[in-house]
Amino acid sequence: MKYKKNFLSNFNKKILNAVPDEISLIEPKERKIIFMNSVIVKKYKNKKIIGNNCFNSFHGINSICNECPIPKTLKTNKASQAICINEQNGVKKYSSVTTIPIIDEDTNKKYILHTLRDVTKRKNAENNLKGMNAKII
């Protein structure tokens, strides 16, 4: 699948690069990444991401994540959010994933704006607090 070279304006890219979360634009049918912001570029350095599936590139798995909000976004045409849990090197990682439908008015083609924020520290703190509360009660 080919995309226009100037798919995103420089101004839009500056906005997306200013956000501290991982932001990508995904072609929803095959879950192919067609844009990634500078946060992703820095995180994955030399790894080829553009043109690859989001679930493999971001989560290291071979099929769509069980918690993935993309199907709900495609069905409802509205933003959706989920907490995705992945294990990396024996450690649980929690990610807050938000997906937002984007329609290219020129081609009437639908894309998914995908944001990912690592919430592992917050989730571990919540789980620790739950454990402490359980001991008290």
Side-chain angles (χ1 to χ4, degrees):
M1 181 174 291
K2 293 201 173 204
Y3 302 98
K4 293 183 270 182
K5 185 171 181 160
N6 296 323
F7 185 73
L8 293 172
S9 71
N10 285 333
F11 182 69
N12 289 337
K13 287 179 185 177
K14 285 181 182 181
I15 292 169
L16 295 173
N17 286 329
V19 177
D21 296 330
E22 296 178 31
I23 299 176
S24 57
L25 194 62
I26 297 173
E27 183 282 317
K29 187 175 180 181
E30 296 183 34
R31 307 290 198 272
K32 300 281 184 181
I33 300 163
I34 59 174
F35 168 83
M36 57 186 184
N37 72 346
S38 60
V39 174
I40 298 173
V41 172
K42 288 176 189 169
K43 180 177 180 178
Y44 293 98
K45 295 180 178 113
N46 297 324
K47 186 177 178 186
K48 184 182 180 308
I49 302 284
I50 298 293
N52 289 340
N53 295 355
C54 54
F55 50 82
N56 187 269
S57 295
F58 299 146
H59 305 294
I61 57 178
N62 294 320
S63 61
I64 188 168
C65 308
N66 291 333
E67 306 90 355
C68 181
I70 291 177
K72 185 175 179 182
T73 295
L74 292 172
K75 185 177 180 180
T76 64
N77 235 9
K78 295 181 180 176
S80 184
Q81 183 179 18
I83 299 294
C84 295
I85 306 166
N86 293 299
E87 201 164 305
Q88 297 174 352
N89 300 324
V91 178
K92 271 190 183 178
K93 299 291 257 180
Y94 298 88
S95 301
S96 174
V97 177
T98 302
T99 55
I100 303 161
I102 304 290
I103 308 236
D104 181 345
E105 293 175 4
D106 294 336
T107 63
N108 206 29
K109 193 162 178 49
K110 187 184 287 187
Y111 300 95
I112 300 292
L113 186 69
H114 178 281
T115 67
L116 186 144
R117 177 179 290 174
D118 185 348
V119 293
T120 303
K121 288 180 183 176
R122 185 189 86 204
K123 291 299 285 181
N124 286 340
E126 288 173 5
N127 291 338
N128 289 339
L129 186 58
K130 285 178 187 175
M132 290 179 358
N133 284 338
K135 288 178 183 177
I136 294 170
I137 297 174

